[in-house]
Amino acid sequence: MLDVCLLGAGGMMPLPKRALTALMTRYNGSSLLIDCGEGTQVSIREQGWSFHPIDTICITHFHGDHISGLPGLLLSMGNAERSKPILLIGPKGLKKVVESLLIIAPGLPFEIRYHEIEGEEEDIICEGYHIHAFKVKHNVVCYGYSIEIPRSGKFDLEKAKANNIPMEAWSTLQKEDSVEINGSVYYAHQVLGPQRRGIKITYCTDSRPTERIVQCAKNADLFICEGMYGEKEKLSSAKEKKHMTFYEAAELAQKAEVAELWLTHYSPSLIRPENYMGEVRQIFQNAYAGKDRKFREINFVE
């Protein structure tokens, strides 16, 4: 089971009832954050969640509305006596940018580990999350992220017996890749059936539509995508500023065959995004206007 919360749905600047875009997930006792704009930690508290279990923070790009809340969040974590290291993932230059921001939050009592992405795509595995970073098309280097929770196959009693796996290894091999007993090594694939479908969400903001986004969001349980503008007449502005309209995001969702689409990262001038959803759903039926603290619990499907 994966808990997903869109902490804020705004782009460019926070508004009284719309925080800047950030996403938080919870899985198996570890939380992951994508982007951290101004006010992110306030939204976490209003959701009733805690920042203490955040072990991984992914940054899409270095624009203020996506990273300006990071020093305050890290400082709050330090003041709460966190000692466990935290992993920060983002574009090349991440360490330099974050260390510059941390001039106002010195002396953190925990280690920050940096993973800088340099290529077009990259995979990172941490805390049970399989993260796939992929470059999108913005006016600065920017990445989208697919977060997957893999799921191993079911225990196969007949397979275990056929492979002569001792009974004392069965339990361990349902959790670990291998186990050694009395000098012999046994492997999980010797007792498990085919891998089952896991959970996948894809998050993408600040980009023009690209085929890469379609490929990386393919068959996602939830696709969270920027929709800067609901007004069709603002398509030229979206192209100029390297953003998307609601309708372009819906077309990506349709092509990627995702289960559900949440729109986010609205322009401050967009007052009522829900007013445009009728036409959006003509392109992709299971589309929703994201809003602050929109929540979804995604379960494994048998």
Side-chain angles (χ1 to χ4, degrees), residues 257-270:
E257 300 178 287
V258 304
E260 188 172 326
L261 167 67
W262 291 1
L263 294 169
T264 189
H265 198 266
Y266 306 131
S267 166
S269 65
L270 184 64

Side-chain angles (χ1 to χ4, degrees), residues 174-192:
Q174 293 178 61
K175 305 171 186 175
E176 307 291 340
D177 291 332
S178 64
V179 63
E180 182 176 346
I181 297 177
N182 297 328
S184 297
V185 180
Y186 304 98
Y187 298 94
H189 68 81
Q190 295 177 296
V191 302
L192 299 179

Side-chain angles (χ1 to χ4, degrees), residues 2-72:
L2 179 71
D3 291 333
V4 181
C5 182
L6 183 63
L7 295 172
M12 297 177 66
M13 67 175 71
L15 298 176
K17 295 184 180 181
R18 186 186 295 164
L20 291 173
T21 307
L23 180 79
M24 189 168 171
T25 65
R26 302 191 302 184
Y27 171 71
N28 200 27
S30 178
S31 296
L32 178 147
L33 186 67
I34 303 182
D35 282 341
C36 189
E38 181 183 346
T40 294
Q41 61 176 314
V42 174
S43 197
I44 292 172
R45 292 182 181 277
E46 289 183 342
Q47 174 64 12
W49 287 10
S50 170
F51 51 70
H52 297 291
I54 297 175
D55 297 314
T56 307
I57 301 177
C58 301
I59 301 297
T60 57
H61 64 295
F62 304 138
H63 278 165
D65 56 336
H66 293 259
I67 198 172
S68 59
L70 186 60

Side-chain angles (χ1 to χ4, degrees), residues 51-262:
F51 51 70
H52 297 291
I54 297 175
D55 297 314
T56 307
I57 301 177
C58 301
I59 301 297
T60 57
H61 64 295
F62 304 138
H63 278 165
D65 56 336
H66 293 259
I67 198 172
S68 59
L70 186 60
L73 176 66
L74 295 176
L75 186 60
S76 292
M77 296 171 84
N79 289 338
E81 300 182 349
R82 180 191 180 94
S83 58
K84 183 180 178 182
I86 190 166
L87 174 64
L88 265 59
I89 300 169
K92 186 177 180 180
L94 175 68
K95 183 176 181 180
K96 181 179 179 180
V97 170
V98 173
E99 287 184 347
S100 297
L101 292 171
L102 290 181
I103 290 173
I104 63 172
L108 295 176
F110 54 88
E111 177 189 1
I112 297 177
R113 297 173 179 170
Y114 296 93
H115 184 108
E116 298 191 357
I117 309 161
E118 298 191 31
E120 294 292 312
E121 300 187 37
E122 192 167 331
D123 292 291
I124 306 105
I125 298 175
C126 58
E127 303 291 345
Y129 294 99
H130 286 216
I131 304 168
H132 181 72
F134 55 95
K135 189 177 284 186
V136 296
K137 189 177 180 181
H138 194 36
N139 52 23
V140 298
V141 175
C142 183
Y143 288 91
Y145 293 96
S146 284
I147 309 298
E148 295 191 59
I149 308 297
R151 194 181 189 199
S152 60
K154 288 184 177 181
F155 176 73
D156 187 328
L157 177 60
E158 297 304 318
K159 189 175 183 179
K161 290 180 176 180
N163 286 314
N164 298 312
I165 308 301
M167 188 179 298
E168 57 264 41
W170 291 359
S171 177
T172 302
L173 290 177
Q174 293 178 61
K175 305 171 186 175
E176 307 291 340
D177 291 332
S178 64
V179 63
E180 182 176 346
I181 297 177
N182 297 328
S184 297
V185 180
Y186 304 98
Y187 298 94
H189 68 81
Q190 295 177 296
V191 302
L192 299 179
Q195 187 169 351
R196 292 172 286 178
R197 188 180 188 280
I199 294 171
K200 177 180 177 180
I201 66 169
T202 299
Y203 177 93
C204 174
T205 68
D206 292 51
S207 178
R208 291 296 299 146
T210 69
E211 185 59 31
R212 186 186 303 275
I213 297 172
V214 173
Q215 294 167 356
C216 292
K218 194 71 176 179
N219 300 130
D221 297 283
L222 177 60
F223 178 37
I224 301 169
C225 186
E226 80 144 280
M228 194 76 174
Y229 304 109
E231 308 93 328
K232 290 184 175 180
E233 63 271 18
K234 290 192 175 181
L235 175 60
S236 59
S237 180
K239 290 180 177 179
E240 177 187 353
K241 297 174 182 177
K242 298 294 191 294
H243 286 288
M244 276 188 246
T245 66
F246 283 19
Y247 317 99
E248 290 175 315
E251 287 170 0
L252 291 178
Q254 189 270 331
K255 290 177 182 177
E257 300 178 287
V258 304
E260 188 172 326
L261 167 67
W262 291 1

